[in-house]
Amino acid sequence: MSKATSLHAKFGSIELLLDVPSSCLGISKRKWHSAFLTMYCSRAFLSLPPSSQPKDTKATKATFLSRTVSYSIVSVESVSVPAINGFEVDQKGLTELVKEKNLNQLLELGGVEEVASALKTDAVHGINGDDADDIAARHEAFGSNTYKKPPTQGFLHFVWEAFKDITILILLGCAALSLGFGIKEHGLKEGWIDGGSICLAVILVISVSAISNYRQSRQFDKLSKVSNNLQIEAVRNGRRQLISIFEIVVGDVICLKIGDQVPADGLLLEGHSLSVDESSMTGESDHVEISVTENPFLFSGTKIADGYGRMLVTSVGMNTNWGEMMSQISQDTGEKTPLQARLDKLTSSIGKVGLAVAFFVLVVMLVRYFTGNTEDENGNKEYNGSKTKSDDIINAVIGIVAAAVTIVVVAIPEGLPLAVTLTLAYSMKRMMVDNAMVRKLSACETMGSATTICTDKTGTLTMNQMKVTKFWLGKESVEEEAYSSISPYVLNLIQEGVSLNTTGSVYRPSLDSQIEISGSPTEKAILSWVVHGSKINMEEVVKSCSILHVEAFNSKKKQSGVLVKRKADNSIHVHRKGAAEMILAMCTSYYDASGIVKDMDYNEKMNFEQIIQGMAASSLRCIAFAHKEVPAEEQVEGDQKVVLKEDGLTLLGLVGLKDPCRPGVRKAVEDCQYAGVNVKMITGDNVFTAKAIATECGILRPGQDMLGAVIEGVEFRNYTPEERMEKVEKISVMARSSPFDKLLMVQCLKQKGHVVAVTGDGTNDAPALKEADIGLSMGIQGTEVAKESSDIVIMDDNFASVATVLMWGRCVYNNIQKFIQFQLTVNVAALVINFVAAVSAGQVPLTAVQLLWVNLIMDTLGALALATEKPTRELMEEPPVGRTAPLITNIMWRNLLPQALYQITVLLILQFRGKAIFGVSDKVKDTLIFNTFVLCQVFNEFNARKLEKKNVFKGIHTNKLFMGIIAVTIVLQVVMVEVLKKFADTERLNWGQWGVCIGIAVISWPIGWLVKSIPVPEKPIFSYLKMKKNKHPR
């Protein structure tokens, strides 16, 4: 038997043994298959007969290998394959494959397509989204696309935080001592009342504070869930559809485009010009190129910087690096806004004054007590030197300390931070209803100070519902019914250019069903025009060519291109699509309707520019198509970099897309302008389209001087810094702008002292959104990069919602000012009354429990009542609040000082002459003071509703919460006086005494009405003091 015959026999055996179709084997089985092939071949060679060995006997002896026959029976079918829920791949292997970017292992597995097969995924049509069992099996095998969050802070955490307040701790200490000595002296039945009352009041204050903070924390958690719930475009059942990021499963096919966040770890199935920003994972700012052959690995949390593609999801949730990172990051609800920082300073200043007064009262009362100038209820001296019991001295000192500490409690306006928290939380909740999701708290209040809004055109001022209404072929406008007269060759080129040079898709489940078109509004409009207008089968067009290279669209180039190879004749063609002027500049010839190519000289180019300008002046967006066949000698070979032709193209045609203005946008623009806010439009469209839309929206007015009001981005860019600063305020419209131009304008406006709000939706808008005082991204068309760079997301992409956000911003600021005015009135009155009474009479008229009750009314209930006022049209009648405007304005001082003075006067009269006037005991007199003081605050709460308007009752019926809080406060006050006598240290009042208290309190309404007639200077009061200091330096 010859060597050849023997080998032939062996390989024949191999062929018989290994006649197993590879397509029916999974990844694990194919590895066994490969191992068996290697072993069998080795043994086949080793078992060759001696005749086939070399003839040299010496050599044979030395090198002869034993011809021991070894038989191995391997059954391929019986190999057990570890499979999870029927999937031929495990999660650990997939996770490591992507994390380690192991390209060799991926190739061993058979590439991305084989991984998709192992995951039971069709690489083109995706998974079966209607099969609930399949989705459940994927969840069970690979987990869900959610990550564990650190445990949220419970209610007890907020109780503990409230307990940490030093004044509360001192009061509790005093209460405990008072409780101990009281029980010792008077027994449990009577002795617990003083200390127990303080304890209960303190617990009530702590509880209300903890509940408010706890509810706010829950509110932030809810908003966080909404902001994290991204909508992702997935392919399921062959159809592109939007699904929640939390619904993504391993095996899903996800569509990615510029600006998207990669929602899970995965492998690239196909992509064009795809590059990814991995800085969120690696910290490196350089973009990473992603390709199917060299680097197909995509990581959750990274951003698509350029291009587009489709990915296969291999790991979700906690199996990704991003999931592990996010599970360790807790939501920061402790963010301090600028207004909160300013209020902290104000609180600190008021607290210092209160501390000084309390300390002075403490010293005076201790001196008066130890010098024998104080008397008990029976008129006896409280301190008689050595005759006084030590228990009585300690009780008296505790009472004095408690009174002094309570003055501090009343003086420190803890309600200010609470009011800001409440009004911000309330406004955030209401703004969600009005289609605005707040990502950064500070934006709520900053928006109230906005002086300029720089807005996009498409989708913000317009509806973003594009439709092709004009088509020019050559220099002729072609109506839809005349498409059949167009040269079939030219029509085929247009169809090819539209079908292959697009990021959109066309899906038709069956011949009887409707065609579904997905993509951006512009892509959808053009695809719809070609599919419905020329009745083409896009699938056939796509199958007839193979795509060699793609230049994806971005806002800088304003065009996209594709290099394709026709399968019929192997010819290579370039197709370009984009802004009409950009494409026109690349063309040297054009097709007419007959399919004849004509040269395009300077005059012809001018004719086409006039056609473009004519369409633009009719508010149409102009898109051009161009084509060029690449000669054989210019075709790129091998690994050379492909660069698409940018000159010598032939113009195929022009289309005009109509995007109507949003209903109500003109009124919203006028509202902003009426409120003193300048609206500027910054768009990538050409200057004629921009001017037409701006006029339609009311940004440009008829008869307005257009010189300097409408410019192009390149012109603004080329100004000197001095020219830019000089002209920036006059600009109303900037056309053909790049993201850099938008950033430049924001920087110039900020340098001029403006508070700038900017809208943006693209990835390249991120720098301008970050630079602006308030970044407003679009919820529908906005990319994830834009949303993450913004402060507020406009959920419906509507400019009217931007105007609503402006009104809410002013409302937040206004509500805070109302509460400050209300609180300062109480602070001033309480401090002065206690101070004067302590110094003159040696005792404070309001007990610790009563002062804590007042504190609760003004701090918590008052904050809740005034901080939840809804925005009114009146807010838009005022100019914007300046960046450095004082928090307490002259108007507020005018309103609060007369009220405080009135309260101080009345209560001091009651303190010193109340017994004589009403003929009552000290206990009743003190109750009258307490009751009158509380009712004055209740009635003054109405005055605080309007800072300038005299009619404080306007719109009160719409604020049910306000009326509810007023009712609750009055009911609780009646209970305090009439029922909880021992607890509140009060006496019951008769109807006449109640009438006197209410009558005194009601007078605060006419006082409020009268003082609002007093004019105030615009310049802040304290600025005059600063001027004097500057004039007389030491």
Side-chain angles (χ1 to χ4, degrees):
M1 195 181 200
S2 67
K3 183 179 180 181
T5 311
S6 179
L7 278 172
H8 182 77
K10 295 293 178 187
F11 283 120
S13 303
I14 292 166
E15 191 176 351
L16 285 168
L17 283 165
L18 301 178
D19 188 19
V20 181
S22 63
S23 59
C24 72
L25 299 177
I27 289 172
S28 301
K29 289 184 180 180
R30 279 200 294 276
K31 286 183 175 179
W32 281 101
H33 195 247
S34 176
F36 172 65
L37 177 64
T38 307
M39 287 190 296
Y40 194 91
C41 287
S42 301
R43 286 176 177 165
F45 277 112
L46 291 172
S47 62
L48 288 174
S51 59
S52 63
Q53 302 297 329
K55 297 274 183 182
D56 187 347
T57 53
K58 287 181 182 177
T60 303
K61 283 177 186 174
T63 60
F64 182 74
L65 295 167
S66 170
R67 192 191 151 198
T68 307
V69 181
S70 170
Y71 296 95
S72 300
I73 299 169
V74 179
S75 173
V76 174
E77 298 302 325
S78 65
V79 175
S80 64
V81 180
I84 305 170
N85 285 35
F87 299 102
E88 297 173 4
V89 64
D90 68 316
Q91 180 60 68
K92 189 179 178 185
L94 282 175
T95 304
E96 287 175 2
L97 173 71
V98 177
K99 277 186 182 177
E100 294 171 13
K101 294 190 177 184
N102 196 331
L103 191 60
N104 290 333
Q105 189 187 342
L106 180 62
L107 293 173
E108 281 176 26
L109 294 172
V112 183
E113 298 280 344
E114 289 298 330
V115 175
S117 176
L119 290 169
K120 297 182 180 178
T121 298
D122 185 308
V124 177
H125 296 104
I127 64 171
N128 182 0
D130 300 328
D131 187 347
D133 292 336
D134 180 52
I135 300 288
R138 291 175 189 276
H139 273 139
E140 191 179 335
F142 306 108
S144 62
N145 200 29
T146 53
Y147 48 82
K148 295 172 190 168
K149 292 182 180 175
T152 52
Q153 291 162 336
F155 178 69
L156 289 175
H157 166 81
F158 296 98
V159 171
W160 178 246
E161 286 298 311
F163 257 115
K164 286 181 182 177
D165 189 331
I166 190 70
T167 51
I168 293 289
L169 291 174
I170 293 170
L171 275 174
L172 282 173
C174 291
L177 290 169
S178 179
L179 201 62
F181 286 110
I183 292 169
K184 185 182 175 184
E185 188 176 343
H186 303 291
L188 184 62
K189 194 174 182 182
E190 297 287 329
W192 72 271
I193 294 171
D194 286 347
S197 300
I198 297 173
C199 276
L200 286 172
V202 168
I203 289 166
L204 188 63
V205 170
I206 286 171
S207 301
V208 171
S209 175
I211 290 165
S212 300
N213 288 328
Y214 178 71
R215 287 192 64 204
Q216 184 221 345
S217 174
R218 295 286 80 79
Q219 180 73 26
F220 278 118
D221 285 344
K222 283 181 187 174
L223 283 170
S224 174
K225 281 179 187 172
V226 173
S227 64
N228 291 335
N229 188 12
L230 312 177
Q231 293 299 300
I232 306 296
E233 193 173 32
V235 179
R236 288 184 175 179
N237 306 333
R239 179 192 285 118
R240 283 196 192 189
Q241 52 191 278
L242 288 175
I243 62 171
S244 164
I245 191 170
F246 304 127
E247 292 173 11
I248 290 172
V249 292
V250 168
D252 256 323
V253 174
I254 305 295
C255 299
L256 300 170
K257 62 183 183 300
I258 187 169
D260 282 352
Q261 177 177 309
V262 179
D265 285 3
L267 299 165
L268 185 67
L269 283 165
E270 62 168 347
H272 302 288
S273 308
L274 198 68
S275 65
V276 173
D277 176 6
E278 293 186 353
S279 58
S280 59
M281 299 294 293
T282 64
E284 298 292 331
S285 57
D286 293 338
H287 294 164
V288 178
E289 296 291 331
I290 305 292
S291 67
V292 175
T293 53
E294 293 176 13
N295 180 24
F297 306 102
L298 289 155
F299 296 97
S300 177
T302 57
K303 309 289 187 305
I304 304 299
D306 200 4
Y308 60 92
R310 293 187 308 124
M311 71 174 276
L312 172 72
V313 174
T314 58
S315 299
V316 293
M318 290 302 294
N319 293 314
T320 66
N321 281 336
W322 184 254
E324 287 174 14
M325 278 168 51
M326 293 305 288
S327 67
Q328 293 163 19
I329 299 171
S330 58
Q331 184 73 18
D332 179 25
T333 54
E335 172 198 4
K336 285 271 190 218
T337 72
L339 186 58
Q340 282 175 322
R342 288 172 76 182
L343 282 173
D344 283 350
K345 282 180 73 176
L346 180 65
T347 303
S348 175
S349 302
I350 296 169
K352 284 172 185 173
V353 173
L355 204 61
V357 170
F359 181 73
F360 190 76
V361 167
L362 178 69
V363 171
V364 168
M365 288 178 73
L366 285 172
V367 168
R368 287 180 66 90
Y369 174 78
F370 285 111
T371 54
N373 288 321
T374 55
E375 295 176 350
D376 60 19
E377 292 172 358
N378 303 317
N380 303 319
K381 274 187 180 183
E382 285 189 313
Y383 182 75
N384 290 307
S386 57
K387 294 177 184 177
T388 312
K389 293 177 184 177
S390 58
D391 284 2
D392 290 342
I393 294 170
I394 292 170
N395 268 341
V397 170
I398 287 169
I400 291 167
V401 170
V405 172
T406 310
I407 290 171
V408 175
V409 172
V410 175
I412 295 173
E414 298 104 324
L416 282 179
L418 180 64
V420 180
T421 302
L422 283 171
T423 192
L424 288 173
Y426 174 75
S427 61
M428 282 171 76
K429 192 175 179 180
R430 297 298 305 172
M431 282 163 81
M432 274 297 286
V433 177
D434 289 337
N435 295 308
M437 185 182 76
V438 179
R439 295 187 73 254
K440 291 178 185 168
L441 266 181
S442 55
C444 280
E445 63 203 41
T446 313
M447 195 67 193
S449 304
T451 57
T452 304
I453 298 174
C454 298
T455 177
D456 281 341
K457 175 187 78 69
T458 307
T460 308
L461 297 173
T462 61
M463 293 181 72
N464 215 5
Q465 293 174 0
M466 307 273 189
K467 187 180 180 184
V468 174
T469 56
K470 278 280 183 186
F471 172 46
W472 288 76
L473 186 56
K475 292 184 285 183
E476 297 174 31
S477 177
V478 183
E479 298 302 320
E480 191 170 333
E481 55 271 16
Y483 286 176
S484 56
S485 63
I486 300 170
S487 159
Y489 176 73
V490 176
L491 200 58
N492 181 55
L493 283 175
I494 292 171
Q495 291 169 351
E496 195 176 83
V498 171
S499 303
L500 299 168
N501 186 14
T502 182
T503 54
S505 69
V506 176
Y507 175 72
R508 191 173 198 164
S510 64
L511 291 171
D512 303 329
S513 55
Q514 288 286 319
I515 291 172
E516 295 175 19
I517 299 172
S518 62
S520 70
T522 306
E523 295 284 8
K524 281 164 75 175
I526 293 169
L527 285 170
S528 178
W529 167 66
V530 166
V531 170
H532 295 121
S534 57
K535 305 285 188 283
I536 67 157
N537 186 331
M538 249 192 76
E539 200 173 336
E540 284 182 11
V541 176
V542 172
K543 283 180 180 176
S544 68
C545 300
S546 55
I547 295 173
L548 303 177
H549 184 69
V550 172
E551 275 186 15
F553 178 90
N554 65 44
S555 55
K556 188 177 179 183
K557 296 183 293 187
K558 301 196 187 300
Q559 51 162 304
S560 62
V562 64
L563 186 71
V564 300
K565 185 177 187 177
R566 286 185 186 160
K567 293 176 181 175
D569 58 5
N570 287 332
S571 59
I572 294 177
H573 301 258
V574 173
H575 284 281
R576 283 198 175 274
K577 173 186 75 182
E581 310 98 288
M582 304 287 185
I583 299 297
L584 188 65
M586 298 178 180
C587 295
T588 53
S589 56
Y590 67 94
Y591 284 103
D592 66 6
S594 308
I596 299 166
V597 178
K598 295 186 176 180
D599 287 338
M600 190 187 294
D601 57 18
Y602 177 77
N603 291 330
E604 293 285 17
K605 204 162 261 191
M606 287 299 104
N607 290 335
F608 278 108
E609 284 189 3
Q610 284 177 358
I611 291 168
I612 293 165
Q613 287 171 18
M615 284 199 283
S618 304
S619 305
L620 299 182
R621 170 178 276 191
C622 307
I623 305 289
F625 303 94
H627 160 265
K628 183 181 175 71
E629 184 172 350
V630 181
E633 63 273 10
E634 292 182 23
Q635 291 177 15
V636 173
E637 297 292 333
D639 297 330
Q640 288 177 269
K641 192 176 180 184
V642 179
V643 179
L644 300 195
K645 297 288 288 183
E646 292 191 359
D647 58 1
L649 302 181
T650 303
L651 185 69
L652 286 172
L654 300 165
V655 291
L657 283 75
K658 180 70 177 174
D659 186 13
C661 280
R662 286 183 179 273
V665 76
R666 188 182 183 93
K667 185 181 182 301
V669 169
E670 285 170 355
D671 285 347
C672 290
Q673 290 168 339
Y674 183 67
V677 179
N678 190 11
V679 181
K680 299 179 187 292
M681 186 174 93
I682 304 174
T683 177
D685 273 342
N686 75 35
V687 71
F688 300 99
T689 309
K691 200 186 288 186
I693 295 287
T695 305
E696 206 176 325
C697 293
I699 293 170
L700 292 175
R701 297 181 190 83
Q704 182 179 339
D705 178 17
M706 295 296 171
L707 188 66
V710 181
I711 65 163
E712 289 196 338
V714 66
E715 188 183 342
F716 183 71
R717 209 179 310 147
N718 293 334
Y719 284 153
T720 64
E722 292 76 23
E723 285 177 320
R724 272 199 293 271
M725 292 297 285
E726 183 188 329
K727 298 178 180 181
V728 70
E729 287 179 320
K730 196 184 176 187
I731 297 167
S732 294
V733 176
M734 185 157 69
R736 281 289 175 244
S737 65
S738 68
F740 176 73
D741 300 328
K742 188 184 275 191
L743 176 63
L744 210 56
M745 177 169 273
V746 172
Q747 288 170 339
C748 289
L749 287 166
K750 284 182 76 176
Q751 284 171 31
K752 294 280 279 187
H754 288 272
V755 177
V756 187
V758 167
T759 71
D761 54 11
T763 303
N764 291 333
D765 289 328
L769 289 168
K770 280 185 177 175
E771 180 69 26
D773 295 289
I774 313 104
L776 304 160
S777 65
M778 300 296 121
I780 300 169
Q781 287 301 313
T783 64
E784 286 313 311
V785 176
K787 288 176 190 173
E788 285 197 6
S789 302
S790 66
D791 305 304
I792 296 172
V793 180
I794 305 298
M795 305 301 283
D796 62 351
D797 291 16
N798 192 345
F799 186 81
S801 297
V802 177
T804 306
V805 169
L806 178 70
M807 194 156 67
W808 269 109
R810 293 190 172 191
C811 179
V812 167
Y813 202 86
N814 191 251
N815 284 350
I816 300 298
Q817 286 188 315
K818 289 174 190 175
F819 181 70
I820 290 171
Q821 178 185 300
F822 169 69
Q823 177 137 53
L824 285 180
T825 308
V826 188
N827 284 133
V828 171
L831 279 175
V832 172
I833 292 159
N834 280 306
F835 176 73
V836 172
V839 171
S840 58
Q843 61 182 36
V844 287
L846 301 172
T847 66
V849 172
Q850 289 170 357
L851 282 172
L852 283 169
W853 168 236
V854 171
N855 188 59
L856 183 68
I857 291 172
M858 69 180 193
D859 271 2
T860 310
L861 299 179
L864 199 59
L866 294 170
T868 53
E869 286 276 355
K870 292 176 184 175
T872 59
R873 301 301 306 168
E874 295 163 7
L875 293 168
M876 300 297 270
E877 293 171 10
E878 302 296 323
V881 179
R883 198 188 287 268
T884 55
L887 203 54
I888 307 173
T889 62
N890 292 353
I891 290 164
M892 291 164 69
W893 285 119
R894 177 200 66 190
N895 294 346
L896 76 88
L897 289 173
Q899 291 286 356
L901 193 64
Y902 167 69
Q903 289 180 22
I904 290 163
T905 305
V906 169
L907 294 175
L908 286 177
I909 289 169
L910 286 174
Q911 169 69 14
F912 295 110
R913 306 296 301 160
K915 276 175 77 174
I917 294 170
F918 296 104
V920 291
S921 66
D922 279 327
K923 200 80 176 278
V924 174
K925 177 204 74 176
D926 286 346
T927 304
L928 282 169
I929 292 171
F930 168 58
N931 203 30
T932 305
F933 185 58
V934 169
L935 290 175
C936 277
Q937 311 322 319
V938 171
F939 283 91
N940 192 37
E941 218 161 322
F942 286 87
N943 286 328
R945 285 190 72 242
K946 306 284 179 186
L947 294 178
E948 293 189 68
K949 302 287 177 183
K950 290 184 177 181
N951 182 5
V952 294
F953 304 105
K954 187 179 178 182
I956 200 163
H957 62 283
T958 62
N959 194 344
K960 294 187 176 78
L961 185 63
F962 180 89
M963 294 306 294
I965 286 168
I966 294 292
V968 166
T969 306
I970 291 170
V971 168
L972 288 175
Q973 179 61 18
V974 171
V975 170
M976 286 283 283
V977 172
E978 299 295 323
V979 180
L980 302 174
K981 295 185 294 175
K982 285 187 177 179
F983 172 75
D985 199 18
T986 56
E987 282 291 319
R988 282 188 172 180
L989 301 178
N990 59 38
W991 285 106
Q993 290 162 344
W994 269 102
V996 168
C997 293
I998 292 168
I1000 293 168
V1002 165
I1003 295 171
S1004 64
W1005 282 351
I1007 290 171
W1009 189 86
L1010 284 169
V1011 296
K1012 283 174 185 173
S1013 305
I1014 302 168
V1016 292
E1018 285 186 19
K1019 205 167 189 180
I1021 293 169
F1022 292 108
S1023 65
Y1024 292 103
L1025 298 173
K1026 287 178 185 175
M1027 283 173 65
K1028 285 180 181 178
K1029 279 183 185 177
N1030 293 335
K1031 281 181 184 177
H1032 306 288
R1034 290 182 179 178

